[in-house]
Amino acid sequence: MGSNLIHHPDGWVGTTPWWKDAVFYQVYPASFKDSNGDGWGDIPGLISKIDYLHRLGVDVVWLSPMFESPQQDMGYDISDYQAVHQRYGTLEDVDRLIEACHSRGMKLILDLVVNHTSDQHPWFKESRSSKTSPKRDWYIWKPPRYDGEGNRIPPTNWRGYFAGPTWTWDEGTQEYYLNLYGPFQPDLNWENPECRAAVYDEAMRFWLDRGVDGFRIDTVNKYSKRTDFPDAPVTCPGVAHQPAPEMWCNGPRIHEFIREMRTRVLAPYGAVSVGELSNTPRPEQVLPYVSAAAGELDMAFEFSTIRLGTGDLFHGKYIYRPFPLSALKRLVETWQTFTEGTDGWHTVFCENHDNGRAVSRFGDDSTPELWEASAKTIALWQATSTGTLFLYQGQEIGMRNMPASWGIEEYKDVESVGFYNEAVATGDQDRVRATLHGLGILARDHSRIPFQWDDSPNAGFTDEGVTPWMRVHDQYRELNAAKQAADPESVLGFYTRILKLRKQYRDLFTHGRFRLLAPDDEALFMYVKEGGADGDGDGDDDKKRRKALVVMNFSSSVQQCPDISGALGCREGEASLLLSTVRSGKSAASDGLGPGLRGSELSPWEGRVYLNFKP
């Protein structure tokens, strides 16, 4: 990938930072490619598929946690930051992966998980060894409280993310430790400067010195907790533990901590950073993290759009809430206009390892025809959106959610199991059914089934006769990368094409100004992208006049296409069609220019891009 930047200790100045135009691709290593036949994906397997990613148009590989771990939360419980979990490979394999990426002009970033460690990490073992341990204060310990009847209760009433309390009792030292997630994931105490220094050295510099190009930073806004530890207000009556994200998200010292991380580690290495911002739904909350002047993160993930349909984050998360297209469009508009008039930047994504598949949530996978059409239209939406584009493995071939016929026994994720067991414990069968329904749409497990490489046994993910760690999708013979690679008009072929167009028209798609059309239309999703904001300070008048109209039918019925020339502000006959998602000769409408641009029909789930100039 070309380098169009000047290095400066505090960031990138002078021209557009490379990461704004890059395409990032997240690899969930356990499920990507197994090279040794143990049913578990690994780093050598990923290396064997680097050319596949390169051909797709990927610039940066984001590798989800592959560190030493008991794997109680699929590697987000790290027991050694400087070792590779043996099922994934070795340190030498990581070095080979770095070389494989760099030799192709690609980059590699790792997951940085430093809000918490595993309870098997040596730091925590030493911390819990005694109250006088030198590392006691590296984690958050508190004495118990007692209720009116003398029963021991936790220091606060906070509920954690995995359907349980945030405090775990340690019998040995007779205190509780804080864990926002599972009891096997104790939170580090970022108030302790020695702890922070160890994080910077062992979890960051170690990998940057090996050639890694940056980090996706897990739970980045949770490092600063309220240190007075008050009880949360009771918003869910009748339960012991209450939602309390305001106690640990965007806390009093969070910006100080992130600036320190950037100054001490990220900036000296020129490392790219993208942070996971939970419970931060307003632009004015996000901007301080990604403002260029603030010098904290390069980019951040904000989750309002991808979490559409989920229930309450802490109680009933998997009670599905249907939403209209207009709700999706309002959120897209909010974040597509986030960069206008600010020095911040935005990320574009609709899949990751923590959510169901996009085609099963935002599209229509009820028939093969609607599945392909909606997968391509989702690709069109993503690739024409302003910001840095992030893809998740399998998104480029339209991988679906697990079949509805699969039972709860196929769900492996600690969060899925926790919320299901909680529903069962209530004895409310309606809630159990609603939770199962919601899991079938939203569960993290859907994104973690093995990648579908071909139509051989186990979808080419692992050897024939091997039982993979998660079941392979029943439909892998019809939906796989090899089949689509042989078909230039497949979902994979469309992604490959549109990623090239995204870079060719970067002033419109990656950097363009966004204007939503028909916000209340529940079938058509349409917007204009205006050029002249390509990030290089390019004052070219022609670029300023360039516009693209994105028209997408987000329904399973034929819809009327709008007045193309009118939407683009050009004379009839001047507009041109850049591309359509429909296979050649299959459109329900005329793709011809001139009169065909006005009043033509859009096939179910068809998307098109029109330009106000000749490409």
Side-chain angles (χ1 to χ4, degrees):
M1 183 170 52
S3 176
N4 57 335
L5 49 107
I6 301 169
H7 183 253
H8 184 277
D10 295 325
W12 305 105
V13 297
T15 59
T16 306
W18 63 264
W19 40 264
K20 288 191 175 183
D21 292 291
V23 174
F24 286 67
Y25 184 100
Q26 182 186 0
V27 170
Y28 197 74
S31 301
F32 194 62
K33 175 62 178 174
D34 172 21
S35 71
N36 61 2
D38 67 353
W40 190 277
D42 48 45
I43 295 169
L46 167 56
I47 294 170
S48 74
K49 297 297 185 180
I50 286 293
D51 284 331
Y52 165 84
L53 298 180
H54 190 237
R55 288 192 299 270
L56 175 62
V58 170
D59 301 302
V60 185
V61 175
W62 154 21
L63 181 60
S64 290
M66 77 304 167
F67 311 101
E68 187 58 67
S69 165
Q71 298 295 324
Q72 291 184 269
D73 186 19
M74 292 304 296
Y76 285 89
D77 50 324
I78 297 172
S79 56
D80 188 341
Y81 287 108
Q82 299 183 354
V84 176
H85 184 59
Q86 57 88 19
R87 299 191 82 171
Y88 292 129
T90 64
L91 282 173
E92 290 72 27
D93 289 329
V94 177
D95 293 339
R96 289 176 53 230
L97 176 59
I98 293 169
E99 171 58 25
C101 290
H102 289 178
S103 66
R104 291 163 175 80
M106 300 163 68
K107 298 181 186 293
L108 176 70
I109 67 171
L110 302 182
D111 239 301
L112 180 64
V113 186
V114 290
N115 174 73
H116 49 265
T117 68
S118 165
D119 60 359
Q120 299 305 302
H121 196 291
W123 295 349
F124 186 70
K125 288 183 176 181
E126 184 172 339
S127 181
R128 80 186 309 176
S129 65
S130 76
K131 291 182 180 178
T132 59
S133 164
K135 287 188 172 61
R136 183 67 171 182
D137 196 38
W138 284 35
Y139 294 83
I140 300 172
W141 295 91
K142 292 293 173 187
R145 298 185 297 177
Y146 294 90
D147 64 18
E149 298 177 354
N151 299 307
R152 186 189 74 230
I153 59 174
T156 70
N157 66 344
W158 302 350
R159 175 188 167 99
Y161 287 95
F162 290 165
T166 61
W167 297 96
T168 298
W169 177 249
D170 179 61
E171 190 66 30
T173 57
Q174 296 288 292
E175 285 191 329
Y176 286 91
Y177 62 83
L178 182 71
N179 53 272
L180 298 185
Y181 293 89
F184 52 87
Q185 292 166 300
D187 278 51
L188 288 164
N189 180 16
W190 275 70
E191 299 287 332
N192 185 309
E194 291 181 356
C195 176
R196 299 200 305 273
V199 164
Y200 301 153
D201 193 43
E202 296 192 28
M204 299 180 71
R205 293 189 186 97
F206 175 83
W207 293 104
L208 292 168
D209 286 339
R210 297 188 87 92
V212 165
D213 299 291
F215 300 97
R216 174 267 187 182
I217 307 177
D218 189 62
T219 61
V220 73
N221 61 331
K222 296 177 182 174
Y223 305 158
S224 175
K225 281 79 170 176
R226 279 190 56 174
T227 55
D228 53 343
F229 296 99
D231 271 344
V234 176
T235 56
C236 295
V239 297
H241 308 293
Q242 298 294 313
E246 69 277 10
M247 304 299 177
W248 61 71
C249 284
N250 311 310
R253 297 186 67 189
I254 191 62
H255 295 291
E256 174 191 344
F257 292 155
I258 297 176
R259 281 193 296 270
E260 180 184 82
M261 176 190 287
R262 185 181 183 103
T263 301
R264 293 191 182 182
V265 187
L266 296 170
Y269 284 89
V272 65
S273 59
V274 53
E276 180 189 31
L277 287 185
S278 296
N279 303 297
T280 311
R282 299 194 304 275
E284 64 270 21
Q285 294 174 304
V286 174
L287 184 59
Y289 289 97
V290 297
S291 161
E296 295 186 19
L297 302 171
D298 293 322
M299 302 171 280
F301 295 126
E302 194 283 324
F303 295 99
S304 296
T305 302
I306 200 173
R307 287 192 174 144
L308 271 171
T310 59
D312 181 271
L313 187 58
F314 292 90
H315 287 282
K317 177 178 180 179
Y318 290 107
I319 305 298
Y320 182 67
R321 297 175 179 175
F323 57 90
L325 176 62
S326 55
L328 172 65
K329 291 194 287 187
R330 282 193 295 272
L331 288 171
V332 170
E333 181 182 34
T334 295
W335 294 104
Q336 281 293 285
T337 57
F338 170 69
T339 60
E340 295 179 16
T342 75
D343 65 347
W345 191 242
H346 183 55
T347 54
V348 178
F349 67 104
C350 64
E351 285 197 25
N352 64 19
H353 64 292
D354 282 336
N355 291 273
R357 289 291 184 175
V359 73
S360 299
R361 297 183 57 211
F362 303 111
D364 187 339
D365 63 359
S366 61
T367 70
E369 293 77 19
L370 294 178
W371 157 75
E372 179 179 276
S374 61
K376 289 180 179 179
T377 294
I378 288 169
L380 181 66
W381 162 38
Q382 294 292 287
T384 59
S385 294
T386 297
T388 297
L389 180 60
F390 284 76
L391 303 178
Y392 179 76
Q393 66 181 45
Q395 179 179 339
E396 77 280 7
I397 62 171
M399 282 184 64
R400 301 180 176 100
N401 277 357
M402 302 187 303
S405 59
W406 288 11
I408 189 63
E409 69 278 1
E410 301 294 349
Y411 290 78
K412 311 296 185 186
D413 177 53
V414 60
E415 183 178 73
S416 300
V417 173
F419 275 89
Y420 175 75
N421 288 341
E422 183 179 51
V424 170
T426 66
D428 182 343
Q429 292 306 305
D430 288 338
R431 181 171 177 178
V432 172
R433 283 189 289 271
T435 299
L436 277 172
H437 173 70
L439 287 171
I441 301 170
L442 304 167
R444 308 199 303 181
D445 304 78
H446 298 296
S447 62
R448 303 179 183 190
I449 62 174
F451 192 100
Q452 292 151 219
W453 289 107
D454 55 42
D455 62 1
S456 65
N458 282 321
F461 164 71
T462 189
D463 296 342
E464 182 176 2
V466 173
T467 301
W469 79 277
M470 281 195 77
R471 180 175 171 180
V472 174
H473 201 289
D474 296 344
Q475 297 174 323
Y476 73 87
R477 291 180 180 86
E478 294 77 42
L479 197 172
N480 61 72
K483 182 178 180 180
Q484 293 189 25
D487 177 4
E489 295 198 66
S490 65
V491 177
L492 176 61
F494 186 80
Y495 264 99
T496 304
R497 181 184 178 195
I498 201 167
L499 291 181
K500 291 177 182 176
L501 289 173
R502 178 176 173 83
K503 292 180 179 180
Q504 181 179 348
Y505 298 101
R506 61 190 290 269
D507 62 307
L508 287 170
F509 300 143
T510 305
H511 298 274
R513 292 180 293 272
F514 175 96
R515 179 161 57 87
L516 181 66
L517 304 178
D520 297 322
D521 192 308
E522 299 297 355
L524 293 182
F525 187 0
M526 304 181 293
Y527 47 85
V528 171
K529 299 296 296 292
E530 300 178 353
D534 66 0
D536 289 328
D538 193 332
D540 189 307
D541 287 340
D542 287 340
K543 280 190 175 181
K544 289 182 178 180
R545 288 191 291 266
R546 281 156 53 120
K547 293 182 181 179
L549 171 65
V550 180
V551 181
M552 298 174 290
N553 180 3
F554 264 56
S555 80
S556 58
S557 60
V558 172
Q559 299 291 325
Q560 290 297 311
C561 195
D563 176 356
I564 304 304
S565 298
L568 286 171
C570 62
R571 289 190 296 271
E572 189 166 343
E574 290 183 342
S576 57
L577 178 69
L578 180 64
L579 83 163
S580 167
T581 58
V582 174
R583 286 177 174 265
S584 300
K586 298 285 188 179
S587 178
S590 167
D591 278 348
L593 306 184
L597 290 174
R598 185 192 298 272
S600 61
E601 293 179 332
L602 288 161
S603 302
W605 286 99
E606 180 180 359
R608 301 182 197 168
V609 179
Y610 293 94
L611 304 174
N612 70 339
F613 59 93
K614 302 299 180 184

